[in-house]
Amino acid sequence: GRATRDPRSVADRLVPALVRGDLVVLGELTGEGARRLPRECPALARAVPLVETPALGDDDLLRIAAHAGATAAEGAPLETPATVLEGALALTRHLLPHRALPGAIATVARRAVLALRADDDAAGTLRHAHVITALAARPDRSRTTTCSPP
């Protein structure tokens, strides 16, 4: 994104620091995002080494969701039925196919816990309705960065 009237993007400003090693970036991309990066932002693609990891299995993704939810609960009692997490994973895959799964399911789990906190009737039990509320929430675009045209 653009932070000022400067025609360069935030990514353009970060490339020199990445090349010098002053900045380390850890993120995730879908396969499509990794294929687009060199085409859309060649300088950033050269500065950031991409490491491909094997896809995580459902058990690992469910553990990530459970951990993200517990972290978002900040120590408050939280009951998370397995069927709710499994439903959240299935809906995340279906409704957010453009997002990399580990981050997407963690985001949905955190937002579902926020929905649970706002629900006075839930008594600390995460429900499918909280997951639906999380998926209906406006996407967080604050982490999205684009490069200036080459």
Side-chain angles (χ1 to χ4, degrees):
R2 307 236 184 272
T4 65
R5 292 185 180 150
D6 189 330
R8 297 177 304 153
S9 72
V10 173
D12 295 328
R13 293 185 191 136
L14 293 178
V15 168
L18 289 166
V19 170
R20 287 191 309 270
D22 295 341
L23 181 66
V24 176
V25 174
L26 177 62
E28 60 185 11
L29 293 170
T30 61
E32 176 58 27
R35 286 186 291 279
R36 281 193 343 251
L37 183 63
R39 186 174 61 248
E40 293 179 8
C41 193
L44 185 60
R46 287 189 301 274
V48 178
L50 294 180
V51 177
E52 188 173 346
T53 60
L56 295 176
D58 283 3
D59 289 343
D60 291 324
L61 292 169
L62 292 171
R63 278 194 288 280
I64 287 170
H67 178 73
T71 301
E74 298 177 342
L78 175 67
E79 183 183 337
T80 311
T83 55
V84 172
L85 288 179
E86 290 163 358
L89 180 57
L91 284 169
T92 300
R93 277 193 171 114
H94 181 71
L95 298 173
L96 303 174
H98 58 285
R99 297 272 317 272
L101 257 179
I105 190 62
T107 298
V108 168
R110 281 191 302 271
R111 288 180 179 167
V113 169
L114 293 177
L116 165 66
R117 287 170 144 179
D119 183 356
D120 294 332
D121 297 327
T125 301
L126 199 63
R127 297 190 177 132
H128 292 287
H130 302 124
V131 172
I132 299 300
T133 300
L135 286 162
R138 185 176 175 176
D140 178 12
R141 302 279 184 213
S142 63
R143 297 181 185 175
T144 303
T145 300
T146 57
C147 286
S148 297

